Amino acid sequence: KTIINFIILFTLTIAIVKSQNVINGYEYQSEENYPILDQVISSYGLYTIDINKSDISFSSNQGQVDLILGSDTYNLNLAEDNLLDVSDIENKPHLLSGSLRFGGHVSLTINDNFIYGFIKTGKKNFYIEPLWYFEKGEDKNVYVIYEFDDVIPDSEHVCGVTETDIKTQEGFQYKATTSCKIVDFGIANTYDMVSSYGNSTAVINHNLAVLNNVQSNYRSEFDANLEYVVVSHYV
């Protein structure tokens, strides 16, 4: 009887663990220098995160996701389709937005080997994006975590903070005079985007991630009443 109870308990535990949405980040120790990254951000942490789109399921846990970065755990409540993409591309990323369990605001875009976005907790506001965006040739599973205030102004290179700010300000040309405006959005990319990001999937991941941040900004910080609908991609 004891053995049977143990087996039942063990099976239930495994089922619960599998149903949890957990993203683990481990501190990345490196003796390398990062000259481009250091021009853009004055202080940052590096983490290895092995992430796949299938790691995040919304069929259970009602959008609860735990992001673990070293010794810090962020309990998130996230919803799908923060940014609506009705194009016919395959392998669309999760376009997520929400909050922490006790407030704050979150924007995350997740696909296979890709996570990008921000978390605002009130006490700590930080971005997460791939290290290889700054330092070409670095491992795809290493990510930069940095605070908003640690971005170096007027750098010739851009980061997630500056890209989101630029696109947010551009979006105000569509600002509604009524209660709400839906903006159909087509995204076209020249070849230098493919050269920078490696392939069309990576280009589309990046574009949607930035626009997802912008959509999250509109909802959380501005009375802009804009809803983007991505209708097409051209690479």
Side-chain angles (χ1 to χ4, degrees):
K1 189 174 182 180
T2 301
I3 293 174
I4 292 173
N5 287 338
F6 174 80
I7 292 173
I8 293 172
L9 179 61
F10 181 78
T11 302
L12 288 173
T13 301
I14 293 296
I16 291 170
V17 169
K18 285 187 175 180
S19 69
Q20 290 176 340
N21 293 326
V22 179
I23 303 170
N24 281 300
Y26 303 94
E27 289 191 44
Y28 179 70
Q29 303 295 332
S30 174
E31 296 181 357
E32 294 185 42
N33 295 318
Y34 300 111
I36 296 177
L37 181 60
D38 290 338
Q39 291 178 38
V40 185
I41 303 167
S42 61
S43 179
Y44 52 83
L46 299 176
Y47 292 82
T48 57
I49 303 174
D50 293 310
I51 182 74
N52 289 295
K53 182 181 176 181
S54 61
D55 293 339
I56 305 301
S57 171
F58 288 87
S59 61
S60 62
N61 291 332
Q62 297 179 331
Q64 296 181 3
V65 178
D66 290 336
L67 174 62
I68 304 171
L69 298 175
S71 60
D72 297 323
T73 298
Y74 301 91
N75 306 121
L76 313 177
N77 289 317
L78 301 176
E80 293 184 283
D81 298 326
N82 175 61
L83 172 69
L84 190 60
D85 186 334
V86 298
S87 70
D88 58 0
I89 63 166
E90 298 179 355
N91 192 29
K92 297 176 184 179
H94 289 305
L95 299 167
L96 311 175
S97 184
S99 65
L100 289 90
R101 306 275 163 84
F102 302 103
H105 195 71
V106 181
S107 175
L108 288 178
T109 300
I110 294 173
N111 209 337
D112 297 333
N113 304 309
F114 181 79
I115 183 170
Y116 181 107
F118 62 74
I119 294 179
K120 302 177 182 180
T121 67
K123 294 181 180 179
K124 187 175 183 180
N125 300 322
F126 66 89
Y127 259 74
I128 177 172
E129 59 185 298
L131 173 62
W132 67 267
Y133 274 16
F134 304 94
E135 304 289 347
K136 303 303 180 184
E138 292 296 325
D139 292 340
K140 300 295 186 183
N141 66 339
V142 181
Y143 294 84
V144 184
I145 311 293
Y146 61 93
E147 298 250 9
F148 290 27
D149 293 340
D150 290 328
V151 175
I152 298 172
D154 302 322
S155 170
E156 63 179 292
H157 303 281
V158 298
C159 62
V161 169
T162 51
E163 283 192 299
T164 299
D165 286 346
I166 290 169
K167 294 300 180 184
T168 298
Q169 295 304 317
E170 287 179 359
F172 282 130
Q173 65 181 301
Y174 304 112
K175 186 171 180 179
T177 56
T178 56
S179 59
C180 183
K181 178 174 283 188
I182 296 174
V183 180
D184 287 346
F185 208 80
I187 304 177
N189 301 273
T190 51
Y191 185 71
D192 61 323
M193 289 291 288
V194 180
S195 300
S196 295
Y197 294 98
N199 56 57
S200 59
T201 297
V203 170
I204 291 170
N205 281 341
H206 172 263
N207 291 342
L208 288 176
V210 173
L211 197 57
N212 191 41
N213 285 353
V214 172
Q215 183 72 86
S216 299
N217 268 351
Y218 287 150
R219 292 210 183 103
S220 65
E221 296 185 8
F222 304 105
D223 185 24
N225 302 311
L226 295 178
E227 295 292 328
Y228 281 121
V229 178
V230 178
V231 297
S232 63
H233 298 269
Y234 180 80
V235 180

